[in-house]
Amino acid sequence: MDTVLTKSTALVRNPNMLGGIILAVFLAGVMFLGGALVPYDPFKIDMGNRLQEASTLHWLGTDQLGRDIFSRIVFGAKLTIGLGMLAIFMAVCIGVPIGLISGYIGGRMDAFFMRIIDGILTFPDFILAIAIAGILGPSLTNIVIAIVLVRWIVYARVVRGLVLSEKEKEYVLVSKTSFSSPIKTIRLHLLPHVMPDIIVMAAIDVGKVILLISALSYIGLGAQPPIPEWGAMLNDGQGYFQVKPSLMVYPGLAIMVTVLCCNLLGDGLKSHFDIRKGRQEL
Amino acid sequence: MSLVVEGLSKNYSKNLVALNTISFSAKKGECIGIVGESGSGKSTLGKVLVGLENYKEGTITYNGAPVVPTKRSRLREYRKNVQMIFQDSSSSLNPKLPVWESVLEPLDNFKECSPAFLEGQNLSRKETAEQLLIMVGLDKELAGRYPEELSGGQKQRVSIARALSIEPSLLICDEPTASLDVTVQVQILNLLKDFQKKMDMTILFISHDIRAVTFLCEQIIVLKNGTIQDQFGINELYHKSRHPYTKALIEAASIQ
């Protein structure tokens, strides 16, 4: 109990981590409670009330179809953040096992996966995501698929690298000479070794992927109207940018805050794990 | 004869000969020391014997069967009989696992084993691990600790406990005392000697330190550049017919 307490205070004392946690709690609150709290239906068109300024009725004003912007942003949080996390979760689920197996088993299996990865890596990931989303057709499901197909590579490569340096360590060799199956060795020794790095990477990547989803939605390949995804809202608002910049400013701010949260959390976790690693090596 | 090595050769590349036609044999319960400087191929020999490195030329048989078996059931039998202790006590335990989980890994894979230290009792996993630690002279309180909280000697004792948990008939020790200070070295060597007598194991003790080898072994093999230079019983250590290289090793050890 005592160590848990000192660990958690050490975690909070890190300013990045503290900021990240506060933002994350705030965003989680918006995601899970926001739906119940928003005053308006985010899809309800009310042409009589279009392009209203911010007021006590509409906190952030209304858009070109009279929909409440605040309600749309709150509703969109679940969608944008949820999809970002889902995409990274799936990329981790594909990339980490491939990296572990490729690194530990080596040989032909390794060569096979590495050639696939080299092939995919020759394209910038944004372009590749555009191409995949373009082929599959514009929809949110398709860009999540596109992003997963592009992002798992990063995890597979990082994990493989970590495994290659760790598998020559004597405790892994002992595991082998103790007749542990490769799966047991990976689960017992190698997976716990790569997990901290994966968590840090995933935290930062969620931010990147949210940007990517929003960018793809903005250029029309992702969320289609009337879905209140933040990138799609930017797209909706761009025609009215000169008369009503708030149509783009608020979704933009929402994206910024979310990405900031992910980056702070990622940095905080990174220094947290680095400190622990350093202590182990002393 | 339990372990017979004949004409074993291994190259890492065309020009790098790790082992060159090595032949020797070990009887059951015998302790064979393999001495040589760094790069003499002694660690490679240990790794070949446990199947961590493969070899092209020569034959190795253990209790009459070729080594290392590829068939899974025979490999299992071999792994149960042959265990290895490594040099670096700091990396021989997983830093992310508590000691008791590490020490149980071989026993978990050979559940049918009922080693003598259990005395037929039916213990929980953690209690079994504690018994193992007590067996190698450690406090059972250490079971819940992480490797970073143990000294080098304690870690090496844990490694020994892990290797001996399934009561192998052949134990390969690759410089188990190299990373320890002198007093702890003696403790570890005594521990190994005790277990060798108690369990009637064959030990292959690989070391650069001829004093450690003479303390433990009856037969000594001197390796240099992958070839056997000299092979003799412990009572012939100071005999005139010793190879000049052996003499140099003995001399170097006595200077220290």
Side-chain angles (χ1 to χ4, degrees):
Chain A
M1 187 62 211
D2 214 27
T3 52
V4 174
L5 212 65
T6 46
K7 262 181 195 168
S8 50
T9 45
L11 206 62
V12 172
R13 210 170 289 149
N14 180 339
N16 280 345
M17 199 67 203
L18 186 63
I21 290 174
I22 291 172
L23 281 179
V25 168
F26 169 70
L27 288 172
V30 169
M31 272 175 78
F32 293 110
L33 303 176
L37 298 180
V38 289
Y40 297 95
D41 178 355
F43 295 104
K44 191 170 171 263
I45 295 171
D46 179 3
M47 290 308 271
N49 262 332
R50 64 197 297 262
L51 298 175
Q52 296 278 313
E53 285 304 318
S55 65
T56 47
L57 277 179
H58 298 281
W59 293 352
L60 302 177
T62 58
D63 68 1
Q64 75 281 8
L65 297 174
R67 296 170 295 196
D68 182 49
I69 294 180
F70 178 72
S71 301
R72 281 176 73 73
I73 286 181
V74 168
F75 192 83
K78 206 177 215 168
L79 203 64
T80 309
I81 301 171
L83 284 177
M85 285 166 58
L86 178 72
I88 289 304
F89 178 74
M90 292 190 341
V92 167
C93 286
I94 298 174
V96 171
I98 288 181
L100 285 169
I101 292 168
S102 186
Y104 185 65
I105 311 273
R108 279 196 190 159
M109 184 103 77
D110 187 33
F112 172 71
F113 283 125
M114 284 307 115
R115 293 300 80 75
I116 293 180
I117 287 173
D118 287 344
I120 300 178
L121 268 182
T122 51
F123 299 97
D125 59 356
F126 188 65
I127 305 288
L128 198 61
I130 289 177
I132 296 172
I135 294 165
L136 296 175
S139 86
L140 271 178
T141 327
N142 288 349
I143 56 166
V144 170
I145 293 173
I147 287 168
V148 171
L149 287 178
V150 173
R151 289 314 289 189
W152 70 269
I153 293 160
V154 186
Y155 292 91
R157 273 172 63 96
V158 168
V159 168
R160 175 180 174 267
L162 290 169
V163 169
L164 283 183
S165 63
E166 197 69 8
K167 75 169 181 180
E168 297 302 323
K169 289 264 178 77
E170 286 164 359
Y171 70 86
V172 183
L173 298 181
V174 167
S175 180
K176 197 174 172 186
T177 60
S178 307
F179 201 66
S180 293
S181 65
I183 297 203
K184 184 177 175 186
T185 306
I186 286 172
R187 183 176 51 81
L188 197 63
H189 300 300
L190 296 172
L191 185 62
H193 176 72
V194 301
M195 261 347 253
D197 295 75
I198 295 307
I199 291 170
V200 169
M201 265 180 76
I204 296 175
D205 258 9
V206 168
K208 279 190 195 160
V209 163
I210 286 173
L211 272 182
L212 193 56
I213 293 178
S214 297
L216 288 167
S217 293
Y218 176 70
I219 60 174
L221 287 172
Q224 299 301 308
I227 299 171
E229 200 278 331
W230 294 340
M233 286 172 72
L234 286 175
N235 187 9
D236 284 348
Q238 74 175 331
Y240 301 85
F241 185 64
Q242 292 194 328
V243 269
K244 193 126 188 311
S246 62
L247 283 186
M248 292 186 81
V249 170
Y250 293 125
L253 273 175
I255 294 173
M256 199 194 86
V257 168
T258 310
V259 175
L260 181 69
C261 168
C262 294
N263 288 348
L264 287 176
L265 272 184
D267 278 351
L269 284 170
K270 191 173 173 191
S271 51
H272 173 67
F273 285 129
D274 277 353
I275 290 167
R276 293 212 44 210
K277 217 183 247 176
R279 210 183 286 150
Q280 277 165 5
E281 277 160 11
L282 273 176
Chain B
M1 283 299 169
S2 76
L3 178 73
V4 183
V5 178
E6 257 172 287
L8 176 67
S9 294
K10 180 179 172 64
N11 296 13
Y12 277 116
S13 63
K14 257 187 185 162
N15 302 320
L16 186 63
V17 181
L19 296 171
N20 188 7
T21 53
I22 304 281
S23 302
F24 66 93
S25 64
K27 292 191 200 74
K28 183 166 169 52
E30 199 175 31
C31 185
I32 304 254
I34 295 177
V35 197
E37 56 193 8
S38 305
S40 60
K42 54 192 193 316
S43 289
T44 306
L45 180 61
K47 284 188 171 173
V48 166
L49 288 177
V50 289
L52 290 172
E53 299 268 1
N54 46 17
Y55 60 98
K56 288 244 163 71
E57 284 172 54
T59 54
I60 310 173
T61 56
Y62 181 71
N63 290 339
V67 166
V68 172
T70 44
K71 230 179 111 187
R72 205 175 149 74
S73 56
R74 306 204 60 171
L75 179 67
R76 183 183 153 85
E77 193 57 30
Y78 185 71
R79 290 266 182 256
K80 196 179 154 195
N81 279 315
V82 183
Q83 284 291 305
M84 185 158 181
I85 298 172
F86 287 91
Q87 168 179 359
D88 188 358
S89 58
S90 64
S91 72
S92 60
L93 300 172
N94 184 347
K96 296 225 158 50
L97 286 183
V99 166
W100 69 275
E101 295 240 23
S102 285
V103 87
L104 283 180
E105 193 175 357
L107 208 53
D108 281 343
N109 293 333
F110 297 99
K111 288 213 171 18
E112 75 280 10
C113 256
S114 53
F117 73 90
L118 284 176
E119 295 159 349
Q121 310 170 72
N122 215 346
L123 298 174
S124 70
R125 288 181 75 232
K126 192 158 186 187
E127 284 166 344
T128 310
E130 286 171 354
Q131 283 302 311
L132 270 169
L133 295 185
I134 292 168
M135 181 180 86
V136 291
L138 289 173
D139 194 313
K140 69 176 185 182
E141 297 298 311
L142 297 184
R145 294 214 198 150
Y146 284 84
E148 58 176 337
E149 300 164 315
L150 264 57
S151 71
Q154 287 173 327
K155 279 186 241 180
Q156 200 57 282
R157 278 174 194 262
V158 173
S159 304
I160 292 173
R162 176 174 57 188
L164 295 182
S165 64
I166 52 171
E167 302 193 324
S169 54
L170 172 62
L171 183 67
I172 296 165
C173 307
D174 185 4
E175 305 229 27
T177 57
S179 56
L180 306 171
D181 64 61
V182 183
T183 49
V184 184
Q185 280 186 21
V186 175
Q187 291 169 10
I188 296 288
L189 289 172
N190 274 321
L191 189 71
L192 285 171
K193 205 169 191 172
D194 286 350
F195 280 114
Q196 193 219 352
K197 279 194 195 125
K198 220 185 289 176
M199 298 180 174
D200 198 23
M201 295 189 284
T202 313
I203 292 187
L204 204 67
F205 190 88
I206 299 167
S207 180
H208 66 272
D209 183 357
I210 198 159
R211 288 170 304 172
V213 170
T214 51
F215 181 83
L216 198 64
C217 307
E218 298 104 49
Q219 285 284 325
I220 295 176
I221 292 168
V222 179
L223 268 186
K224 193 188 182 190
N225 297 332
T227 41
I228 293 182
Q229 301 287 339
D230 207 355
Q231 194 167 0
F232 52 92
I234 183 73
N235 43 6
E236 299 165 12
L237 181 62
Y238 296 104
H239 199 270
K240 276 198 299 251
S241 62
R242 287 282 66 77
H243 190 276
Y245 182 64
T246 315
K247 285 182 182 160
L249 281 177
I250 297 169
E251 215 165 281
S254 58
I255 288 169
Q256 279 178 356

